Amino acid sequence: MTTPQNAHSGGRAALMAPGPVMVDVAGLELTDAERVRLRHPQVGGVILFARNFSDRAQLSALCAAIHGARDEPLLIAVDHEGGRVQRFRTDGFTPLPAMRVFGHWYDRDPQAALRAATETGFVLASELRACGVDFSFTPVLDLDYGVSQVIGNRALHEDPAAVALLARALIQGLSQAGMAACGKHFPGHGAVAADSHLAIPVDDRPLDEILDADAAPYRWLGDLALPAVMPAHVIYPQVAPEPAGFSRRWVTDILRGRMEYDGVVFSDDLTMEGASVAGDIHARARAALEAGCDMVLVCNRPDLADELLAALADRPLDPQAVRRIRRLMPFRPAPDWTGLLSDPRYLRARSLRSENLSI
């Protein structure tokens, strides 16, 4: 299988560039209405969920249809971290551990944990790419303070240095399979108990404390290792009155300015309760884009996606955002599943993972 970017490496000036909205699809194959939506010039990507998967053949066909909807293929993404956040779990997909497993292992044997994280990243990315998925929103860089149920064992460790090292190892594995990474949830969701899917979390710590601890992995990794970041729907009132993803102070002044970050900044899902403080769907998207986000997610509400696309129809694309988004497309061809099963690198990684990790 050839990746969309490799298949369309030349003549880009004539292609429809990726827009700033990532949408989802309802089922196992595209509807006519979804095909029309995906051709809207403000759409730049599609996020998949467990409802979009029945088996590998179906997933591959769905991804091919999504990629085929545009002359420059849309970025296909998924939340596929491991543990309780793994969208595809059957028909050959390897069960992946919750990331905290690597943190516990790191405390006993750091080098073995780092190697296992790399192998797991390679397996994760190889299997997704063999079915046509381009990108996973991983790794979680939140610190494990033991208070956030929505983060919980999705966090790698409580120590920011350990988080950065383990994340870099996982990212290396993703990269070896041709997949980019996304750190979340900037600057940190681990110190608040509320779930931003259901509430509006507030973290009252001062800026210096957050930067020295929670945000440190982002600074250490940088955009070359971590070409995408997703801010948290968390309010840090000592820094800014808005959630981080709607805050120019956080995104433009701190992340892009003070931390010199030049990767993609995604909003978290604009339909989450934590985003409701910004107003209706257009106000939420406008706030995120004006804060400095490159792409906004609208999940599980196709009516709101269409409303937003209509409102943004005349908005010119930001060439810097287009450049950053294009960097996330896979940068090498991927084998199909048959080819994957004959790849010594994949088989070795999967064997090492099975020998050393109990799920």
Side-chain angles (χ1 to χ4, degrees), residues 9 28 55 176 218 228 283 286 295 345:
S9 58
L28 301 178
D55 55 58
Q176 288 170 354
Y218 296 90
R286 184 174 64 249
M295 182 172 278
R345 172 73 177 90

Side-chain angles (χ1 to χ4, degrees), residues 294-319:
D294 299 294
M295 182 172 278
V296 298
L297 276 67
V298 183
C299 305
N300 304 308
R301 290 292 304 272
D303 56 326
L304 293 182
D306 287 338
E307 181 182 329
L308 176 59
L309 293 172
L312 296 178
D314 296 327
R315 181 183 185 274
L317 299 185
D318 177 353

Side-chain angles (χ1 to χ4, degrees), residues 273-350:
E273 182 61 26
S276 64
V277 296
D280 64 17
I281 192 66
H282 187 205
R284 298 177 195 190
R286 184 174 64 249
L289 295 170
E290 290 179 355
C293 291
D294 299 294
M295 182 172 278
V296 298
L297 276 67
V298 183
C299 305
N300 304 308
R301 290 292 304 272
D303 56 326
L304 293 182
D306 287 338
E307 181 182 329
L308 176 59
L309 293 172
L312 296 178
D314 296 327
R315 181 183 185 274
L317 299 185
D318 177 353
Q320 293 303 314
V322 170
R323 173 185 61 82
R324 294 179 186 121
I325 293 166
R326 281 173 166 162
R327 283 181 59 200
L328 300 184
M329 290 300 289
F331 47 85
R332 65 167 61 98
D336 59 19
W337 202 272
T338 300
L340 189 64
L341 293 180
S342 62
D343 178 3
R345 172 73 177 90
Y346 168 77
L347 295 175
R348 185 170 67 253
R350 197 171 190 274

Side-chain angles (χ1 to χ4, degrees), residues 148-336:
S148 175
Q149 291 187 353
V150 70
I151 301 301
N153 65 4
R154 297 166 65 192
L156 285 158
H157 206 279
E158 68 272 14
D159 176 16
V163 167
L165 288 170
L166 287 164
R168 184 178 289 277
L170 183 79
I171 291 166
Q172 181 181 8
L174 297 174
S175 180
Q176 288 170 354
M179 182 175 283
C182 178
K184 58 188 185 184
H185 306 83
F186 177 82
H189 199 309
V192 291
D195 179 352
S196 55
H197 295 83
L198 308 172
I200 303 171
V202 176
D203 186 335
D204 201 36
R205 293 177 298 160
L207 175 61
D208 287 347
E209 181 179 337
I210 296 168
L211 292 181
D212 289 345
D214 302 65
Y218 296 90
R219 185 176 72 252
W220 292 330
L221 291 168
D223 59 87
L224 293 181
L226 193 69
V229 163
M230 178 178 284
H233 282 328
V234 175
I235 297 174
Y236 307 86
Q238 294 203 45
V239 184
E242 317 90 352
F246 299 141
S247 168
R248 187 171 183 83
R249 173 112 167 89
W250 274 115
V251 178
T252 297
D253 296 347
I254 297 173
L255 181 60
R256 294 218 186 275
R258 185 166 173 175
M259 298 173 64
E260 299 182 324
Y261 183 76
D262 189 38
V264 175
V265 179
F266 288 95
S267 80
D268 207 340
D269 178 12
L270 295 183
T271 69
M272 290 165 56
E273 182 61 26
S276 64
V277 296
D280 64 17
I281 192 66
H282 187 205
R284 298 177 195 190
R286 184 174 64 249
L289 295 170
E290 290 179 355
C293 291
D294 299 294
M295 182 172 278
V296 298
L297 276 67
V298 183
C299 305
N300 304 308
R301 290 292 304 272
D303 56 326
L304 293 182
D306 287 338
E307 181 182 329
L308 176 59
L309 293 172
L312 296 178
D314 296 327
R315 181 183 185 274
L317 299 185
D318 177 353
Q320 293 303 314
V322 170
R323 173 185 61 82
R324 294 179 186 121
I325 293 166
R326 281 173 166 162
R327 283 181 59 200
L328 300 184
M329 290 300 289
F331 47 85
R332 65 167 61 98
D336 59 19

